[in-house]
């Protein structure tokens, strides 16, 4: 679903999917990854743990990370932003909003 | 003085509960260490702590049974830890029996009943513990033969490996085959390269390890003297290591009070809103905007307050799921079946009250699944299945609902047998028996699939009680069963009970509230589009015929005929149904007051609320209404109650 909504991005893009937290980190390490869309619920790690690791690593500190979650409350949002999330989106979201946000983060200054 | 003692005892019981929970969880983990020379030290340490604390607090309130039981359990465990005796199945069984006695003994004390006889259990525990006098010093023991050791495996991913299909998840699966993974962490190596460090217990073969090197996996044995740092464990066991140091224990009644006060506030705000709206014409528009802004801010903040308090009441479903392996283990042993329990979504949070009310229903369905659903080993092999049955428990949250599923991969429900049983019980059998009809039949009072002598169903907690309990909580049950493949029960429950979002609708002169979580869609229908059939009326909805239920008929409310009506599309046992009202007038946050008094309890009404004008408005129980509709349509007739 996430992939489908990102397909709307203008310009050629390649998507890499990971099915667990560790795999997400592996994919990032083997990169290059320009944008990470991270679900909070993963089988092995919490999304914020993955985010914490990404942010603690100097090489990946600048990679924009969009957090996707079903929890829309302010406390969860604050926790994500504090952990270094670039953007925070609550599921379900309109397909267009994710693509717009991704576009914004990939091409800063394009709007 | 008595008051003081009572409070003290309350604290004692609460603390006992906590330690017992830890004991139950850890004992199951200990089971996996059977046969090893020494069990995982983190497990024994946790058990030690729990036994020791129990012994201590029981001593303070002079609860002798607990003190002595905990002491003997500790003694045995110490012998195991020191390597004086090897952990055996019998040993774990004795510990589990003793844990159960601890539980019963505490319950007896709490209810003011006779103390439970613990002597036989004490004797059994003493039997498996070495005699204290002649226990040899642990250093004199011979080295254990091929124990499972702790290993570390460092995996460095690379594009070549990925191309060969070897990624971190594959590595994890490989290690899992060779032993128990203790932790899995990403680490930063030299030059900033990312690698993954797994710590696991097992006995990987040398050939295996050599083959792994080509796949970027480097294994090395961890010295026993350097214990694994469990505090940094991610994932595999993180739930068990949650610290409780920052937690406060609060009486649930206080949270109920808090919720009630917030409920009153929500109603008061609604009244204030109505009162202010009435004076709109008297206020200059510039002032009016200020009032409006404040009102909406107040509403938002109230909602946040409500959500905050609600969050405090939430506990992980794990509290409930943790009991399941215990129950399954006992039953499997009694029936000679082999069962594995798969649990997912344990971290899903649910109202504490729901956990307490749902525990028995969930355990009942679990017992049913093990004793009726899953086949014995021989039967499974004959059917071409793996000898081990699987019981899957899943919890997931979606919006304001929580879904709990209990599934087995057993023989499925035998429809013919259910029908035969229902006939014996004097239940009416519908012409077409689908899964919803089966659920209806097995949930009827008086229905039982086994003889009264059956130990499991003989507990007076049948599916009828399960269904009533779920309905009382505002939830719904559904059933899916495939012959030869298994059965799945699904409970859909509201996340919380007290305050919820609702759609407000009018029928004739009456106003009703419909919980928003149970509504899939609101549509407008043209009365010309309603097709009347012998068994009822239908409309076309998204290209398919959907039966409609007019609330005016269901609740006998006189209405004027209209050409355009509104309808709620709701789910009734998996299939949509349209509940027709005159008009949907809005959306409100409502405070639910359940109608628990059986005298005024009406099927189809879940409770009442106050919209702010002081009048009580009834809250519809959508699932019950849909069920009623199915019955009156003759799809599932019920037994005459006369």
């Amino acid at each position: 679903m996430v992939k489908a909504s990102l397909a709307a991005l203008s310009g050629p893009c390649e998507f890499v999917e990971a099915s667990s937290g560790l795999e997400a980190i592996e994919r990032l390490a083997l990169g290059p990854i320009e944008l990470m869309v991270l679900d909070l619920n993963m089988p092995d790690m919490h999304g914020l743990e993955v985010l914490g690791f990404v942010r603690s690593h100097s090489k990946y500190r600048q990679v924009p990370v969009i957090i996707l979650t079903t929890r829309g409350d302010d406390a969860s949002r604050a926790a994500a932003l504090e952990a270094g999330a670039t953007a925070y989106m609550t599921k379900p979201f309109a397909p267009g909003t994710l693509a717009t946000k991704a576009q914004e983060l990939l091409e800063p200054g394009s709007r | 003085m008595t008051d003081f003692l009572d409070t003290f005892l309350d604290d004692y019981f609460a603390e006992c509960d906590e330690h017992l929970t830890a004991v139950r969880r850890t004992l199951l983990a200990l089971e996996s260490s059977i046969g090893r020379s020494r069990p995982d030290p983190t497990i024994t340490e946790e058990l030690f702590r729990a036994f020791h604390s129990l012994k201590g607090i029981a001593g303070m309130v002079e609860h002798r049974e607990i003190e002595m039981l905990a002491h003997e359990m500790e003694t045995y465990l110490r012998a195991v830890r020191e390597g004086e005796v090897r952990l055996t199945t019998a040993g774990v069984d004795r510990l589990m029996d003793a844990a159960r006695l601890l539980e019963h003994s505490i319950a007896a004390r709490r209810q003011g009943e006779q103390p439970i006889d613990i002597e036989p259990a004490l004797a059994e525990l003493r039997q498996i513990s070495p005699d204290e006098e002649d226990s040899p010093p642990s250093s004199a023991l011979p080295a254990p033969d091929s124990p499972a050791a702790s290993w570390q495996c460092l995996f460095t991913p690379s594009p070549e490996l990925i191309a060969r299909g070897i990624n971190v998840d594959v590595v994890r699966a490989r290690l899992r085959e060779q032993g128990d993974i203790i932790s899995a962490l990403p680490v930063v190596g030299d030059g900033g390269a990312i690698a993954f460090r797994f710590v696991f217990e097992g006995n990987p073969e040398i050939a295996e390890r050599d083959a792994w090197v080509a796949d970027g996996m480097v294994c090395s044995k961890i010295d026993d003297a350097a214990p694994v740092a469990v505090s940094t464990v991610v994932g595999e066991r993180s739930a068990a290591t949650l610290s409780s140091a920052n937690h406060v224990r609060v009486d649930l009644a206080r949270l109920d009070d808090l919720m009630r006060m917030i409920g009153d506030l929500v109603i008061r705000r609604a009244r204030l809103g109505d009162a202010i709206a009435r004076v709109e014409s008297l206020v200059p528009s510039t002032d009016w905007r200020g009032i409006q802004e404040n009102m909406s801010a107040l509403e938002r903040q109230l909602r946040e307050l409500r959500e905050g308090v609600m969050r405090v009441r939430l506990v992980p479903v794990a509290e409930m799921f943790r009991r399941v392996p215990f129950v399954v283990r006992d039953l499997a042993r009694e029936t000679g079946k082999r069962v594995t329990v798969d649990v997912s979504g344990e971290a899903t949070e649910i109202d504490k009250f729901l956990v307490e009310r749902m525990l028995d229903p969930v355990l009942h369905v679990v017992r049913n699944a093990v004793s009726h659903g899953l086949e014995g080993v021989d039967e499974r092999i004959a059917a071409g299945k793996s000898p081990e049955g699987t019981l899957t428990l899943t919890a997931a949250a979606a919006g304001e609902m929580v879904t709990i599923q209990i599934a087995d991969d057993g023989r499925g429900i035998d429809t013919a047998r259910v029908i035969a049983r229902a006939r014996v019980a004097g239940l009416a059998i519908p012409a077409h028996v689908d899964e919803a009809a089966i659920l209806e039949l097995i949930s009827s009072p008086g229905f039982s699939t086994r003889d009264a002598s059956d130990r499991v169903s003989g507990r007076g907690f049948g599916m009828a009680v399960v269904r009533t309990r779920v309905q009382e909580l505002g939830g719904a049950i559904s059933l899916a069963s495939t012959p030869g493949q298994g059965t799945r029960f699904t409970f859909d429950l509201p996340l919380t009970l007290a305050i919820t979002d609702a759609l407000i609708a009018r029928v004739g002169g009456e106003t009703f509230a419909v919980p928003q979580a149970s509504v899939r869609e609101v549509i407008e229908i043209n009365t010309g589009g309603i097709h009347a059939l012998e068994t009822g009326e239908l409309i076309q909805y998204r290209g398919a015929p959907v039966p409609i239920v007019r609330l005016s008929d269901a609740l006998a409310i006189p209405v004027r005929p209209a050409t355009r009506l509104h309808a709620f599309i709701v789910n009734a046992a998996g299939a949509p149904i349209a509940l027709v009202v005159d008009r949907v007038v809005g959306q409100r946050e409502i405070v639910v007051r359940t109608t628990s008094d059986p005298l005024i309890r009406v099927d189809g009404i879940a409770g009442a609320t106050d919209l702010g004008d002081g009048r009580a408005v009834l809250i519809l129980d959508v699932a019950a209404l849909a069920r009623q509709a199915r019955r009156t349509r003759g799809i599932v007739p019920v037994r005459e109650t006369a």
Side-chain angles (χ1 to χ4, degrees), chain B residues 218-279:
Chain B
V218 179
C219 290
S220 58
K221 208 163 182 170
I222 300 176
D223 191 357
D224 260 350
V228 180
V230 180
S231 54
T232 57
V233 166
V234 170
E236 309 287 338
R237 262 191 213 163
S238 56
T241 52
L242 268 180
S243 124
S244 58
N246 295 325
H247 291 181
V248 178
R249 214 161 34 221
V250 181
D251 189 343
L252 196 56
R254 290 196 193 170
L255 292 180
D256 289 342
D257 280 349
L258 212 54
M259 210 61 182
R260 188 184 46 73
M261 287 186 255
I262 293 173
D264 291 346
L265 262 179
V266 167
I267 292 176
R268 184 60 64 184
R269 194 215 61 86
R271 283 189 195 169
L272 180 63
D274 289 349
I276 289 178
R278 279 198 294 277
V279 299

Side-chain angles (χ1 to χ4, degrees), chain A residues 18-30 43-46 49 53 57 59-60 70-71 73-76, chain B residues 155 157-159 162 166-169 172 184-188 192-194 196 198 234-236 304 307 311 314 349 397:
Chain A
S19 55
S20 69
L22 288 185
E23 200 189 336
I25 292 173
E26 180 179 40
R27 288 300 186 167
L28 182 69
L30 299 178
D44 57 342
M45 291 171 83
H46 192 273
E49 284 173 338
F53 180 80
H57 197 296
K59 196 165 160 194
Y60 306 111
T70 51
R71 306 201 56 156
D73 59 282
D74 287 350
S76 308
Chain B
F155 170 65
S158 73
I162 293 277
I166 294 161
N167 69 10
V168 67
D169 280 340
R172 172 156 41 190
L185 282 177
V187 289
V188 181
I194 287 178
F196 298 93
F198 292 89
V234 170
E236 309 287 338
E304 281 168 9
E307 283 172 358
R311 258 202 309 276
L314 296 182
E349 291 186 315

